Amino acid sequence: LPPAIQLLSTLCLALCLALVDSGLPLSSPFSSLSTACSPDGDLLTDPSLAQEQASQSLVTVMTDCSSGRVISTHTQGVCSLQQLESSLAHAEKAGEKMKQFYQKAVQRRLAKDAKFSHLNIAI
C-alpha cells in the first residue's frame, strides 16, 4: 500500500483518470502532489513512508492542470509559509506534467475507438 499521505494524492489522481475515462465533462483535469518537510527543512516530493514518519509536516496539494490554480490543500503538522509556497510551486509543475499525461491517455483511449480516431481532442 502507498504511504498514508501518498494514498490521498494517489486517490485524487485515480479519480481524475476515472472521470476523464468515463467521458464526463470536466472544465479542466486536476492533479495532486504530496510533499514532506524533513526535520532539516528539506522539501521531499512523493515521500516514502519512512520519510513521512520522520517529517515535521506533510502537504498534499490538488491543482487545476490548465490554470495551475490550487483547488485543495491538506496539511499535517507545522510548516513554514516558505515550505507551503514551495509545495504549491512543485504541485503546479506536477500539474503541467499530469496535463500532458492526461492528453496522451485520452488520445490512446480514443485511438482504440475507430469512430473517434479522426478527432484531434485536447484537454
Side-chain angles (χ1 to χ4, degrees):
L1 287 174
I5 198 75
Q6 283 295 89
L7 183 59
L8 176 59
S9 184
T10 301
L11 289 172
C12 290
L13 295 172
L15 173 62
C16 187
L17 280 171
L19 291 171
V20 168
D21 188 57
S22 72
L24 290 174
L26 292 173
S27 59
S28 174
F30 51 89
S31 178
S32 181
L33 179 73
S34 295
T35 58
C37 185
S38 72
D40 300 335
D42 296 329
L43 189 69
L44 310 167
T45 57
D46 297 324
S48 68
L49 181 56
Q51 290 170 324
E52 279 188 22
Q53 291 171 340
S55 69
Q56 65 184 24
S57 64
L58 303 167
V59 179
T60 299
V61 181
M62 189 180 344
T63 59
D64 178 309
C65 289
S66 294
S67 67
R69 289 181 297 182
V70 175
I71 296 171
S72 174
T73 61
H74 179 267
T75 58
Q76 289 178 245
V78 178
C79 68
S80 69
L81 181 58
Q82 181 183 13
Q83 292 163 337
L84 180 60
E85 288 174 345
S86 184
S87 293
L88 295 173
H90 279 82
E92 184 178 353
K93 289 179 186 175
E96 293 167 6
K97 291 180 183 177
M98 283 305 299
K99 181 179 178 182
Q100 293 170 358
F101 173 80
Y102 291 142
Q103 288 172 335
K104 288 179 185 176
V106 168
Q107 289 169 352
R108 281 185 297 224
R109 177 86 162 120
L110 293 178
K112 291 181 182 180
D113 192 338
K115 66 182 177 183
F116 295 117
S117 62
H118 68 285
L119 297 176
N120 184 15
I121 297 178
I123 292 181

PDB file of all heavy atoms in Angstrom, residues 71-111:
ATOM      1  N   ILE A  71      -6.805  23.944  -5.993  1.00  0.00           N
ATOM      2  CA  ILE A  71      -8.181  23.529  -5.750  1.00  0.00           C
ATOM      3  C   ILE A  71      -8.359  23.179  -4.280  1.00  0.00           C
ATOM      4  O   ILE A  71      -9.342  23.536  -3.655  1.00  0.00           O
ATOM      5  CB  ILE A  71      -8.546  22.310  -6.616  1.00  0.00           C
ATOM      6  CG1 ILE A  71      -8.487  22.675  -8.097  1.00  0.00           C
ATOM      7  CG2 ILE A  71      -9.918  21.766  -6.248  1.00  0.00           C
ATOM      8  CD1 ILE A  71      -8.615  21.485  -9.032  1.00  0.00           C
ATOM      9  N   SER A  72      -7.363  22.469  -3.735  1.00  0.00           N
ATOM     10  CA  SER A  72      -7.474  21.996  -2.365  1.00  0.00           C
ATOM     11  C   SER A  72      -6.089  21.753  -1.783  1.00  0.00           C
ATOM     12  O   SER A  72      -5.154  21.430  -2.511  1.00  0.00           O
ATOM     13  CB  SER A  72      -8.268  20.682  -2.358  1.00  0.00           C
ATOM     14  OG  SER A  72      -8.286  20.101  -1.081  1.00  0.00           O
ATOM     15  N   THR A  73      -5.971  21.909  -0.477  1.00  0.00           N
ATOM     16  CA  THR A  73      -4.740  21.543   0.222  1.00  0.00           C
ATOM     17  C   THR A  73      -5.106  20.755   1.471  1.00  0.00           C
ATOM     18  O   THR A  73      -6.182  20.941   2.045  1.00  0.00           O
ATOM     19  CB  THR A  73      -3.907  22.771   0.654  1.00  0.00           C
ATOM     20  OG1 THR A  73      -4.681  23.564   1.551  1.00  0.00           O
ATOM     21  CG2 THR A  73      -3.459  23.599  -0.522  1.00  0.00           C
ATOM     22  N   HIS A  74      -4.197  19.887   1.848  1.00  0.00           N
ATOM     23  CA  HIS A  74      -4.350  19.132   3.090  1.00  0.00           C
ATOM     24  C   HIS A  74      -2.984  19.132   3.759  1.00  0.00           C
ATOM     25  O   HIS A  74      -1.990  18.733   3.149  1.00  0.00           O
ATOM     26  CB  HIS A  74      -4.798  17.699   2.801  1.00  0.00           C
ATOM     27  CG  HIS A  74      -4.936  16.872   4.027  1.00  0.00           C
ATOM     28  ND1 HIS A  74      -3.906  16.093   4.505  1.00  0.00           N
ATOM     29  CD2 HIS A  74      -5.964  16.722   4.896  1.00  0.00           C
ATOM     30  CE1 HIS A  74      -4.306  15.489   5.606  1.00  0.00           C
ATOM     31  NE2 HIS A  74      -5.544  15.852   5.862  1.00  0.00           N
ATOM     32  N   THR A  75      -2.922  19.600   4.977  1.00  0.00           N
ATOM     33  CA  THR A  75      -1.641  19.646   5.690  1.00  0.00           C
ATOM     34  C   THR A  75      -1.740  18.893   7.004  1.00  0.00           C
ATOM     35  O   THR A  75      -2.803  18.834   7.627  1.00  0.00           O
ATOM     36  CB  THR A  75      -1.199  21.096   5.985  1.00  0.00           C
ATOM     37  OG1 THR A  75      -2.215  21.735   6.752  1.00  0.00           O
ATOM     38  CG2 THR A  75      -0.955  21.874   4.719  1.00  0.00           C
ATOM     39  N   GLN A  76      -0.608  18.320   7.377  1.00  0.00           N
ATOM     40  CA  GLN A  76      -0.455  17.679   8.682  1.00  0.00           C
ATOM     41  C   GLN A  76       0.841  18.202   9.272  1.00  0.00           C
ATOM     42  O   GLN A  76       1.858  18.250   8.583  1.00  0.00           O
ATOM     43  CB  GLN A  76      -0.345  16.163   8.537  1.00  0.00           C
ATOM     44  CG  GLN A  76      -1.620  15.480   8.127  1.00  0.00           C
ATOM     45  CD  GLN A  76      -1.406  13.995   7.967  1.00  0.00           C
ATOM     46  OE1 GLN A  76      -1.535  13.496   6.869  1.00  0.00           O
ATOM     47  NE2 GLN A  76      -1.072  13.296   9.039  1.00  0.00           N
ATOM     48  N   GLY A  77       0.804  18.587  10.519  1.00  0.00           N
ATOM     49  CA  GLY A  77       1.998  19.102  11.168  1.00  0.00           C
ATOM     50  C   GLY A  77       2.155  20.596  10.935  1.00  0.00           C
ATOM     51  O   GLY A  77       1.268  21.269  10.432  1.00  0.00           O
ATOM     52  N   VAL A  78       3.325  21.092  11.318  1.00  0.00           N
ATOM     53  CA  VAL A  78       3.610  22.524  11.232  1.00  0.00           C
ATOM     54  C   VAL A  78       4.626  22.759  10.122  1.00  0.00           C
ATOM     55  O   VAL A  78       5.690  22.151  10.112  1.00  0.00           O
ATOM     56  CB  VAL A  78       4.170  23.050  12.568  1.00  0.00           C
ATOM     57  CG1 VAL A  78       4.499  24.517  12.469  1.00  0.00           C
ATOM     58  CG2 VAL A  78       3.180  22.784  13.700  1.00  0.00           C
ATOM     59  N   CYS A  79       4.267  23.640   9.192  1.00  0.00           N
ATOM     60  CA  CYS A  79       5.214  24.003   8.135  1.00  0.00           C
ATOM     61  C   CYS A  79       5.255  25.515   8.018  1.00  0.00           C
ATOM     62  O   CYS A  79       4.283  26.202   8.323  1.00  0.00           O
ATOM     63  CB  CYS A  79       4.858  23.350   6.803  1.00  0.00           C
ATOM     64  SG  CYS A  79       3.358  23.931   6.027  1.00  0.00           S
ATOM     65  N   SER A  80       6.378  26.009   7.569  1.00  0.00           N
ATOM     66  CA  SER A  80       6.531  27.455   7.408  1.00  0.00           C
ATOM     67  C   SER A  80       5.820  27.907   6.136  1.00  0.00           C
ATOM     68  O   SER A  80       5.485  27.090   5.267  1.00  0.00           O
ATOM     69  CB  SER A  80       8.014  27.815   7.325  1.00  0.00           C
ATOM     70  OG  SER A  80       8.565  27.337   6.107  1.00  0.00           O
ATOM     71  N   LEU A  81       5.603  29.196   6.027  1.00  0.00           N
ATOM     72  CA  LEU A  81       4.998  29.758   4.822  1.00  0.00           C
ATOM     73  C   LEU A  81       5.870  29.455   3.606  1.00  0.00           C
ATOM     74  O   LEU A  81       5.358  29.110   2.538  1.00  0.00           O
ATOM     75  CB  LEU A  81       4.797  31.266   4.983  1.00  0.00           C
ATOM     76  CG  LEU A  81       4.145  31.981   3.809  1.00  0.00           C
ATOM     77  CD1 LEU A  81       2.778  31.385   3.497  1.00  0.00           C
ATOM     78  CD2 LEU A  81       4.036  33.466   4.092  1.00  0.00           C
ATOM     79  N   GLN A  82       7.184  29.525   3.774  1.00  0.00           N
ATOM     80  CA  GLN A  82       8.112  29.235   2.672  1.00  0.00           C
ATOM     81  C   GLN A  82       7.967  27.777   2.223  1.00  0.00           C
ATOM     82  O   GLN A  82       7.971  27.489   1.022  1.00  0.00           O
ATOM     83  CB  GLN A  82       9.551  29.514   3.097  1.00  0.00           C
ATOM     84  CG  GLN A  82      10.563  29.255   2.009  1.00  0.00           C
ATOM     85  CD  GLN A  82      11.987  29.479   2.482  1.00  0.00           C
ATOM     86  OE1 GLN A  82      12.252  29.599   3.676  1.00  0.00           O
ATOM     87  NE2 GLN A  82      12.915  29.539   1.534  1.00  0.00           N
ATOM     88  N   GLN A  83       7.837  26.855   3.165  1.00  0.00           N
ATOM     89  CA  GLN A  83       7.674  25.445   2.815  1.00  0.00           C
ATOM     90  C   GLN A  83       6.346  25.211   2.098  1.00  0.00           C
ATOM     91  O   GLN A  83       6.280  24.454   1.126  1.00  0.00           O
ATOM     92  CB  GLN A  83       7.768  24.573   4.071  1.00  0.00           C
ATOM     93  CG  GLN A  83       9.153  24.550   4.674  1.00  0.00           C
ATOM     94  CD  GLN A  83       9.148  24.032   6.104  1.00  0.00           C
ATOM     95  OE1 GLN A  83       8.137  24.075   6.801  1.00  0.00           O
ATOM     96  NE2 GLN A  83      10.301  23.531   6.541  1.00  0.00           N
ATOM     97  N   LEU A  84       5.295  25.879   2.544  1.00  0.00           N
ATOM     98  CA  LEU A  84       3.997  25.756   1.891  1.00  0.00           C
ATOM     99  C   LEU A  84       4.058  26.311   0.473  1.00  0.00           C
ATOM    100  O   LEU A  84       3.558  25.690  -0.467  1.00  0.00           O
ATOM    101  CB  LEU A  84       2.915  26.459   2.708  1.00  0.00           C
ATOM    102  CG  LEU A  84       1.498  26.408   2.134  1.00  0.00           C
ATOM    103  CD1 LEU A  84       1.018  24.966   1.988  1.00  0.00           C
ATOM    104  CD2 LEU A  84       0.544  27.211   2.996  1.00  0.00           C
ATOM    105  N   GLU A  85       4.675  27.476   0.310  1.00  0.00           N
ATOM    106  CA  GLU A  85       4.802  28.067  -1.026  1.00  0.00           C
ATOM    107  C   GLU A  85       5.612  27.177  -1.959  1.00  0.00           C
ATOM    108  O   GLU A  85       5.291  27.038  -3.135  1.00  0.00           O
ATOM    109  CB  GLU A  85       5.424  29.461  -0.933  1.00  0.00           C
ATOM    110  CG  GLU A  85       4.487  30.495  -0.358  1.00  0.00           C
ATOM    111  CD  GLU A  85       5.141  31.845  -0.125  1.00  0.00           C
ATOM    112  OE1 GLU A  85       6.401  31.930  -0.138  1.00  0.00           O
ATOM    113  OE2 GLU A  85       4.394  32.814   0.072  1.00  0.00           O
ATOM    114  N   SER A  86       6.641  26.548  -1.425  1.00  0.00           N
ATOM    115  CA  SER A  86       7.451  25.632  -2.220  1.00  0.00           C
ATOM    116  C   SER A  86       6.625  24.411  -2.626  1.00  0.00           C
ATOM    117  O   SER A  86       6.716  23.941  -3.772  1.00  0.00           O
ATOM    118  CB  SER A  86       8.693  25.215  -1.434  1.00  0.00           C
ATOM    119  OG  SER A  86       9.524  24.406  -2.221  1.00  0.00           O
ATOM    120  N   SER A  87       5.819  23.906  -1.715  1.00  0.00           N
ATOM    121  CA  SER A  87       4.938  22.775  -2.029  1.00  0.00           C
ATOM    122  C   SER A  87       3.956  23.160  -3.136  1.00  0.00           C
ATOM    123  O   SER A  87       3.704  22.375  -4.055  1.00  0.00           O
ATOM    124  CB  SER A  87       4.156  22.333  -0.794  1.00  0.00           C
ATOM    125  OG  SER A  87       5.008  21.793   0.174  1.00  0.00           O
ATOM    126  N   LEU A  88       3.413  24.364  -3.060  1.00  0.00           N
ATOM    127  CA  LEU A  88       2.475  24.840  -4.081  1.00  0.00           C
ATOM    128  C   LEU A  88       3.157  24.951  -5.441  1.00  0.00           C
ATOM    129  O   LEU A  88       2.583  24.576  -6.469  1.00  0.00           O
ATOM    130  CB  LEU A  88       1.877  26.187  -3.670  1.00  0.00           C
ATOM    131  CG  LEU A  88       1.000  26.183  -2.421  1.00  0.00           C
ATOM    132  CD1 LEU A  88       0.615  27.609  -2.034  1.00  0.00           C
ATOM    133  CD2 LEU A  88      -0.236  25.324  -2.612  1.00  0.00           C
ATOM    134  N   ALA A  89       4.385  25.448  -5.468  1.00  0.00           N
ATOM    135  CA  ALA A  89       5.127  25.575  -6.724  1.00  0.00           C
ATOM    136  C   ALA A  89       5.413  24.204  -7.338  1.00  0.00           C
ATOM    137  O   ALA A  89       5.274  24.018  -8.550  1.00  0.00           O
ATOM    138  CB  ALA A  89       6.429  26.338  -6.492  1.00  0.00           C
ATOM    139  N   HIS A  90       5.812  23.250  -6.505  1.00  0.00           N
ATOM    140  CA  HIS A  90       6.052  21.892  -7.000  1.00  0.00           C
ATOM    141  C   HIS A  90       4.758  21.273  -7.545  1.00  0.00           C
ATOM    142  O   HIS A  90       4.775  20.583  -8.563  1.00  0.00           O
ATOM    143  CB  HIS A  90       6.625  20.999  -5.896  1.00  0.00           C
ATOM    144  CG  HIS A  90       8.081  21.159  -5.683  1.00  0.00           C
ATOM    145  ND1 HIS A  90       8.616  22.170  -4.917  1.00  0.00           N
ATOM    146  CD2 HIS A  90       9.129  20.434  -6.142  1.00  0.00           C
ATOM    147  CE1 HIS A  90       9.929  22.055  -4.904  1.00  0.00           C
ATOM    148  NE2 HIS A  90      10.266  21.013  -5.645  1.00  0.00           N
ATOM    149  N   ALA A  91       3.653  21.518  -6.870  1.00  0.00           N
ATOM    150  CA  ALA A  91       2.360  20.973  -7.308  1.00  0.00           C
ATOM    151  C   ALA A  91       1.949  21.561  -8.650  1.00  0.00           C
ATOM    152  O   ALA A  91       1.400  20.862  -9.499  1.00  0.00           O
ATOM    153  CB  ALA A  91       1.293  21.243  -6.250  1.00  0.00           C
ATOM    154  N   GLU A  92       2.224  22.842  -8.847  1.00  0.00           N
ATOM    155  CA  GLU A  92       1.887  23.474 -10.128  1.00  0.00           C
ATOM    156  C   GLU A  92       2.686  22.847 -11.265  1.00  0.00           C
ATOM    157  O   GLU A  92       2.149  22.547 -12.330  1.00  0.00           O
ATOM    158  CB  GLU A  92       2.145  24.974 -10.064  1.00  0.00           C
ATOM    159  CG  GLU A  92       1.722  25.702 -11.318  1.00  0.00           C
ATOM    160  CD  GLU A  92       1.922  27.209 -11.242  1.00  0.00           C
ATOM    161  OE1 GLU A  92       2.267  27.721 -10.167  1.00  0.00           O
ATOM    162  OE2 GLU A  92       1.730  27.861 -12.271  1.00  0.00           O
ATOM    163  N   LYS A  93       3.972  22.608 -11.047  1.00  0.00           N
ATOM    164  CA  LYS A  93       4.815  21.963 -12.070  1.00  0.00           C
ATOM    165  C   LYS A  93       4.335  20.541 -12.342  1.00  0.00           C
ATOM    166  O   LYS A  93       4.298  20.100 -13.494  1.00  0.00           O
ATOM    167  CB  LYS A  93       6.277  21.954 -11.632  1.00  0.00           C
ATOM    168  CG  LYS A  93       6.925  23.313 -11.667  1.00  0.00           C
ATOM    169  CD  LYS A  93       8.360  23.244 -11.195  1.00  0.00           C
ATOM    170  CE  LYS A  93       8.955  24.629 -11.089  1.00  0.00           C
ATOM    171  NZ  LYS A  93      10.305  24.602 -10.531  1.00  0.00           N
ATOM    172  N   ALA A  94       3.964  19.828 -11.297  1.00  0.00           N
ATOM    173  CA  ALA A  94       3.460  18.459 -11.469  1.00  0.00           C
ATOM    174  C   ALA A  94       2.159  18.467 -12.259  1.00  0.00           C
ATOM    175  O   ALA A  94       1.908  17.577 -13.071  1.00  0.00           O
ATOM    176  CB  ALA A  94       3.257  17.803 -10.107  1.00  0.00           C
ATOM    177  N   GLY A  95       1.336  19.482 -12.037  1.00  0.00           N
ATOM    178  CA  GLY A  95       0.079  19.608 -12.777  1.00  0.00           C
ATOM    179  C   GLY A  95       0.294  19.768 -14.264  1.00  0.00           C
ATOM    180  O   GLY A  95      -0.452  19.218 -15.080  1.00  0.00           O
ATOM    181  N   GLU A  96       1.348  20.507 -14.639  1.00  0.00           N
ATOM    182  CA  GLU A  96       1.662  20.672 -16.056  1.00  0.00           C
ATOM    183  C   GLU A  96       2.036  19.330 -16.682  1.00  0.00           C
ATOM    184  O   GLU A  96       1.616  19.002 -17.789  1.00  0.00           O
ATOM    185  CB  GLU A  96       2.808  21.673 -16.227  1.00  0.00           C
ATOM    186  CG  GLU A  96       2.440  23.092 -15.840  1.00  0.00           C
ATOM    187  CD  GLU A  96       3.653  24.011 -15.721  1.00  0.00           C
ATOM    188  OE1 GLU A  96       4.782  23.582 -16.040  1.00  0.00           O
ATOM    189  OE2 GLU A  96       3.451  25.164 -15.306  1.00  0.00           O
ATOM    190  N   LYS A  97       2.806  18.532 -15.957  1.00  0.00           N
ATOM    191  CA  LYS A  97       3.200  17.206 -16.457  1.00  0.00           C
ATOM    192  C   LYS A  97       1.997  16.268 -16.513  1.00  0.00           C
ATOM    193  O   LYS A  97       1.860  15.476 -17.442  1.00  0.00           O
ATOM    194  CB  LYS A  97       4.310  16.621 -15.583  1.00  0.00           C
ATOM    195  CG  LYS A  97       5.618  17.354 -15.725  1.00  0.00           C
ATOM    196  CD  LYS A  97       6.692  16.748 -14.863  1.00  0.00           C
ATOM    197  CE  LYS A  97       7.984  17.558 -14.985  1.00  0.00           C
ATOM    198  NZ  LYS A  97       9.029  17.033 -14.108  1.00  0.00           N
ATOM    199  N   MET A  98       1.126  16.354 -15.505  1.00  0.00           N
ATOM    200  CA  MET A  98      -0.054  15.488 -15.500  1.00  0.00           C
ATOM    201  C   MET A  98      -0.992  15.856 -16.647  1.00  0.00           C
ATOM    202  O   MET A  98      -1.631  14.980 -17.226  1.00  0.00           O
ATOM    203  CB  MET A  98      -0.793  15.579 -14.159  1.00  0.00           C
ATOM    204  CG  MET A  98      -0.132  14.807 -13.051  1.00  0.00           C
ATOM    205  SD  MET A  98       0.153  13.056 -13.409  1.00  0.00           S
ATOM    206  CE  MET A  98      -1.502  12.458 -13.677  1.00  0.00           C
ATOM    207  N   LYS A  99      -1.094  17.128 -16.996  1.00  0.00           N
ATOM    208  CA  LYS A  99      -1.942  17.526 -18.119  1.00  0.00           C
ATOM    209  C   LYS A  99      -1.468  16.836 -19.390  1.00  0.00           C
ATOM    210  O   LYS A  99      -2.276  16.321 -20.163  1.00  0.00           O
ATOM    211  CB  LYS A  99      -1.930  19.041 -18.298  1.00  0.00           C
ATOM    212  CG  LYS A  99      -2.815  19.509 -19.420  1.00  0.00           C
ATOM    213  CD  LYS A  99      -2.828  21.007 -19.576  1.00  0.00           C
ATOM    214  CE  LYS A  99      -3.703  21.409 -20.741  1.00  0.00           C
ATOM    215  NZ  LYS A  99      -3.709  22.851 -20.962  1.00  0.00           N
ATOM    216  N   GLN A 100      -0.159  16.787 -19.602  1.00  0.00           N
ATOM    217  CA  GLN A 100       0.392  16.104 -20.779  1.00  0.00           C
ATOM    218  C   GLN A 100       0.064  14.608 -20.712  1.00  0.00           C
ATOM    219  O   GLN A 100      -0.287  13.995 -21.722  1.00  0.00           O
ATOM    220  CB  GLN A 100       1.897  16.319 -20.862  1.00  0.00           C
ATOM    221  CG  GLN A 100       2.285  17.754 -21.135  1.00  0.00           C
ATOM    222  CD  GLN A 100       3.777  17.996 -20.982  1.00  0.00           C
ATOM    223  OE1 GLN A 100       4.536  17.098 -20.640  1.00  0.00           O
ATOM    224  NE2 GLN A 100       4.197  19.230 -21.234  1.00  0.00           N
ATOM    225  N   PHE A 101       0.185  14.021 -19.539  1.00  0.00           N
ATOM    226  CA  PHE A 101      -0.142  12.604 -19.368  1.00  0.00           C
ATOM    227  C   PHE A 101      -1.614  12.351 -19.696  1.00  0.00           C
ATOM    228  O   PHE A 101      -1.949  11.391 -20.397  1.00  0.00           O
ATOM    229  CB  PHE A 101       0.175  12.149 -17.943  1.00  0.00           C
ATOM    230  CG  PHE A 101      -0.289  10.757 -17.652  1.00  0.00           C
ATOM    231  CD1 PHE A 101       0.459   9.667 -18.082  1.00  0.00           C
ATOM    232  CD2 PHE A 101      -1.473  10.534 -16.971  1.00  0.00           C
ATOM    233  CE1 PHE A 101       0.024   8.371 -17.826  1.00  0.00           C
ATOM    234  CE2 PHE A 101      -1.908   9.247 -16.712  1.00  0.00           C
ATOM    235  CZ  PHE A 101      -1.157   8.162 -17.138  1.00  0.00           C
ATOM    236  N   TYR A 102      -2.508  13.199 -19.176  1.00  0.00           N
ATOM    237  CA  TYR A 102      -3.937  13.033 -19.440  1.00  0.00           C
ATOM    238  C   TYR A 102      -4.223  13.146 -20.936  1.00  0.00           C
ATOM    239  O   TYR A 102      -5.038  12.401 -21.475  1.00  0.00           O
ATOM    240  CB  TYR A 102      -4.761  14.075 -18.681  1.00  0.00           C
ATOM    241  CG  TYR A 102      -4.781  13.913 -17.180  1.00  0.00           C
ATOM    242  CD1 TYR A 102      -4.760  15.030 -16.347  1.00  0.00           C
ATOM    243  CD2 TYR A 102      -4.838  12.663 -16.573  1.00  0.00           C
ATOM    244  CE1 TYR A 102      -4.798  14.900 -14.967  1.00  0.00           C
ATOM    245  CE2 TYR A 102      -4.869  12.526 -15.196  1.00  0.00           C
ATOM    246  CZ  TYR A 102      -4.851  13.647 -14.403  1.00  0.00           C
ATOM    247  OH  TYR A 102      -4.885  13.514 -13.040  1.00  0.00           O
ATOM    248  N   GLN A 103      -3.581  14.106 -21.614  1.00  0.00           N
ATOM    249  CA  GLN A 103      -3.790  14.263 -23.051  1.00  0.00           C
ATOM    250  C   GLN A 103      -3.401  12.993 -23.797  1.00  0.00           C
ATOM    251  O   GLN A 103      -4.128  12.526 -24.674  1.00  0.00           O
ATOM    252  CB  GLN A 103      -3.003  15.463 -23.583  1.00  0.00           C
ATOM    253  CG  GLN A 103      -3.573  16.784 -23.162  1.00  0.00           C
ATOM    254  CD  GLN A 103      -2.681  17.970 -23.543  1.00  0.00           C
ATOM    255  OE1 GLN A 103      -1.491  17.819 -23.700  1.00  0.00           O
ATOM    256  NE2 GLN A 103      -3.292  19.131 -23.659  1.00  0.00           N
ATOM    257  N   LYS A 104      -2.260  12.424 -23.452  1.00  0.00           N
ATOM    258  CA  LYS A 104      -1.818  11.182 -24.095  1.00  0.00           C
ATOM    259  C   LYS A 104      -2.781  10.037 -23.782  1.00  0.00           C
ATOM    260  O   LYS A 104      -3.094   9.224 -24.651  1.00  0.00           O
ATOM    261  CB  LYS A 104      -0.405  10.824 -23.655  1.00  0.00           C
ATOM    262  CG  LYS A 104       0.649  11.729 -24.230  1.00  0.00           C
ATOM    263  CD  LYS A 104       2.033  11.352 -23.738  1.00  0.00           C
ATOM    264  CE  LYS A 104       3.066  12.352 -24.229  1.00  0.00           C
ATOM    265  NZ  LYS A 104       4.398  12.063 -23.678  1.00  0.00           N
ATOM    266  N   ALA A 105      -3.255   9.970 -22.549  1.00  0.00           N
ATOM    267  CA  ALA A 105      -4.177   8.904 -22.159  1.00  0.00           C
ATOM    268  C   ALA A 105      -5.477   9.001 -22.949  1.00  0.00           C
ATOM    269  O   ALA A 105      -6.002   7.985 -23.424  1.00  0.00           O
ATOM    270  CB  ALA A 105      -4.457   8.970 -20.655  1.00  0.00           C
ATOM    271  N   VAL A 106      -5.993  10.215 -23.115  1.00  0.00           N
ATOM    272  CA  VAL A 106      -7.227  10.400 -23.877  1.00  0.00           C
ATOM    273  C   VAL A 106      -6.996  10.053 -25.343  1.00  0.00           C
ATOM    274  O   VAL A 106      -7.820   9.377 -25.970  1.00  0.00           O
ATOM    275  CB  VAL A 106      -7.754  11.851 -23.724  1.00  0.00           C
ATOM    276  CG1 VAL A 106      -8.859  12.143 -24.730  1.00  0.00           C
ATOM    277  CG2 VAL A 106      -8.251  12.081 -22.311  1.00  0.00           C
ATOM    278  N   GLN A 107      -5.879  10.487 -25.894  1.00  0.00           N
ATOM    279  CA  GLN A 107      -5.580  10.179 -27.295  1.00  0.00           C
ATOM    280  C   GLN A 107      -5.479   8.671 -27.514  1.00  0.00           C
ATOM    281  O   GLN A 107      -6.002   8.146 -28.502  1.00  0.00           O
ATOM    282  CB  GLN A 107      -4.291  10.874 -27.730  1.00  0.00           C
ATOM    283  CG  GLN A 107      -4.457  12.361 -27.869  1.00  0.00           C
ATOM    284  CD  GLN A 107      -3.136  13.102 -28.050  1.00  0.00           C
ATOM    285  OE1 GLN A 107      -2.065  12.519 -27.920  1.00  0.00           O
ATOM    286  NE2 GLN A 107      -3.223  14.387 -28.334  1.00  0.00           N
ATOM    287  N   ARG A 108      -4.810   7.958 -26.605  1.00  0.00           N
ATOM    288  CA  ARG A 108      -4.704   6.499 -26.726  1.00  0.00           C
ATOM    289  C   ARG A 108      -6.074   5.848 -26.616  1.00  0.00           C
ATOM    290  O   ARG A 108      -6.398   4.914 -27.348  1.00  0.00           O
ATOM    291  CB  ARG A 108      -3.787   5.935 -25.644  1.00  0.00           C
ATOM    292  CG  ARG A 108      -2.322   6.095 -25.953  1.00  0.00           C
ATOM    293  CD  ARG A 108      -1.503   5.399 -24.903  1.00  0.00           C
ATOM    294  NE  ARG A 108      -1.791   6.084 -23.640  1.00  0.00           N
ATOM    295  CZ  ARG A 108      -0.893   6.428 -22.735  1.00  0.00           C
ATOM    296  NH1 ARG A 108       0.351   6.087 -22.886  1.00  0.00           N
ATOM    297  NH2 ARG A 108      -1.230   7.087 -21.658  1.00  0.00           N
ATOM    298  N   ARG A 109      -6.880   6.352 -25.702  1.00  0.00           N
ATOM    299  CA  ARG A 109      -8.221   5.788 -25.493  1.00  0.00           C
ATOM    300  C   ARG A 109      -9.073   5.995 -26.737  1.00  0.00           C
ATOM    301  O   ARG A 109      -9.761   5.079 -27.183  1.00  0.00           O
ATOM    302  CB  ARG A 109      -8.858   6.460 -24.281  1.00  0.00           C
ATOM    303  CG  ARG A 109     -10.258   6.019 -23.993  1.00  0.00           C
ATOM    304  CD  ARG A 109     -10.230   4.775 -23.145  1.00  0.00           C
ATOM    305  NE  ARG A 109     -11.511   4.591 -22.527  1.00  0.00           N
ATOM    306  CZ  ARG A 109     -12.259   3.516 -22.726  1.00  0.00           C
ATOM    307  NH1 ARG A 109     -11.828   2.549 -23.490  1.00  0.00           N
ATOM    308  NH2 ARG A 109     -13.414   3.410 -22.143  1.00  0.00           N
ATOM    309  N   LEU A 110      -9.042   7.188 -27.315  1.00  0.00           N
ATOM    310  CA  LEU A 110      -9.847   7.478 -28.495  1.00  0.00           C
ATOM    311  C   LEU A 110      -9.323   6.762 -29.727  1.00  0.00           C
ATOM    312  O   LEU A 110     -10.093   6.405 -30.612  1.00  0.00           O
ATOM    313  CB  LEU A 110      -9.921   8.990 -28.737  1.00  0.00           C
ATOM    314  CG  LEU A 110     -10.681   9.792 -27.676  1.00  0.00           C
ATOM    315  CD1 LEU A 110     -10.642  11.272 -28.002  1.00  0.00           C
ATOM    316  CD2 LEU A 110     -12.116   9.310 -27.546  1.00  0.00           C
ATOM    317  N   ALA A 111      -8.019   6.559 -29.798  1.00  0.00           N
ATOM    318  CA  ALA A 111      -7.433   5.856 -30.942  1.00  0.00           C
ATOM    319  C   ALA A 111      -7.926   4.416 -31.010  1.00  0.00           C
ATOM    320  O   ALA A 111      -8.012   3.834 -32.100  1.00  0.00           O
ATOM    321  CB  ALA A 111      -5.918   5.891 -30.864  1.00  0.00           C
TER     322      ALA A 111
END
